[in-house]
Amino acid sequence: MITILFGVLGCYILAAISVHLFRRWSRNRSRQQRHFILLADNNQQTMEWYIRSLHRLERKSGTPVKITVVDKGSTDETMAIVDRFPKSGIHVEKAVLPASVRDGTNETGKFRKLPIRRRIGMRPVEPLHLMWMLQAEGIVTARDHAVLVDLRNPADLSKLPL
């Protein structure tokens, strides 16, 4: 009877030690930060929901989430909604696209020669070029593994883990 008791006690102690070692090992590991870049253009009705959903993902999964909202020239209260989040403890970075990128003009204000689909306003900047611009501005680093999400494009919304 005593040998069985020592066997059970030994297994319990061994399991407790292994759990503590695993937690210490996983805590010391650097976690991969997820960086979501949201391209906002008159998204005041859904912006708060997207940011709160990404913050909920951070709390549930334990993975650090960085949120950057890039203003593409919104004329509604989208950026005012983003400004309220630091007061509630949710850190959201803001960035603004230069006017030359938003409307297709160059530094002198004259329109650049763009392909016709860009001139009619479908997409002023390709996503890859925008990522390079954000890296040049220091908003995104190469090791961030940033996910660029255009909120007006329904296909891009599938990139969000909502």
Side-chain angles (χ1 to χ4, degrees):
M1 177 88 161
I2 297 266
T3 57
I4 294 175
L5 180 65
F6 281 135
V8 169
L9 189 63
C11 287
Y12 178 76
I13 291 171
L14 193 63
I17 289 172
S18 64
V19 165
H20 284 289
L21 288 175
F22 177 75
R23 290 198 66 169
R24 182 175 294 190
W25 174 76
S26 66
R27 190 178 311 143
N28 291 337
R29 253 186 351 162
S30 65
R31 292 193 174 159
Q32 183 66 33
Q33 179 177 351
R34 298 177 77 177
H35 188 178
F36 291 97
I37 301 169
L38 306 177
L39 297 177
D41 186 20
N42 297 335
N43 296 98
Q44 78 178 16
Q45 295 178 349
T46 56
M47 181 57 69
E48 183 175 0
W49 185 78
Y50 291 136
I51 293 173
R52 288 194 187 280
S53 296
L54 289 172
H55 183 65
R56 192 175 325 119
L57 168 77
E58 179 180 24
R59 282 196 332 252
K60 283 186 176 183
S61 69
T63 304
V65 174
K66 182 177 177 184
I67 304 169
T68 302
V69 178
V70 178
D71 185 13
K72 288 176 50 177
S74 62
T75 56
D76 60 359
E77 297 294 317
T78 301
M79 297 317 278
I81 292 170
V82 173
D83 287 336
R84 286 188 298 206
F85 278 101
K87 296 174 188 168
S88 65
I90 300 173
H91 181 69
V92 179
E93 292 184 13
K94 287 177 28 179
V96 179
L97 285 178
S100 61
V101 174
R102 287 191 304 247
D103 60 10
T105 59
N106 60 14
E107 292 78 20
T108 62
K110 296 182 180 177
F111 278 96
R112 291 179 281 164
K113 292 187 177 183
L114 299 173
I116 187 68
R117 69 180 184 86
R118 284 205 208 161
R119 271 190 263 150
I120 60 174
M122 291 180 69
R123 249 187 205 213
V125 177
E126 297 296 326
L128 183 61
H129 296 136
L130 183 59
M131 287 296 279
W132 283 107
M133 288 173 48
L134 293 173
Q135 279 185 352
E137 294 288 326
I139 296 169
V140 177
T141 61
R143 62 182 190 97
D144 267 350
H145 299 291
V147 177
L148 185 67
V149 181
D150 189 355
L151 297 177
R152 295 187 75 192
N153 185 358
D156 276 5
L157 293 178
S158 66
K159 297 176 185 177
L160 291 173
L162 306 175

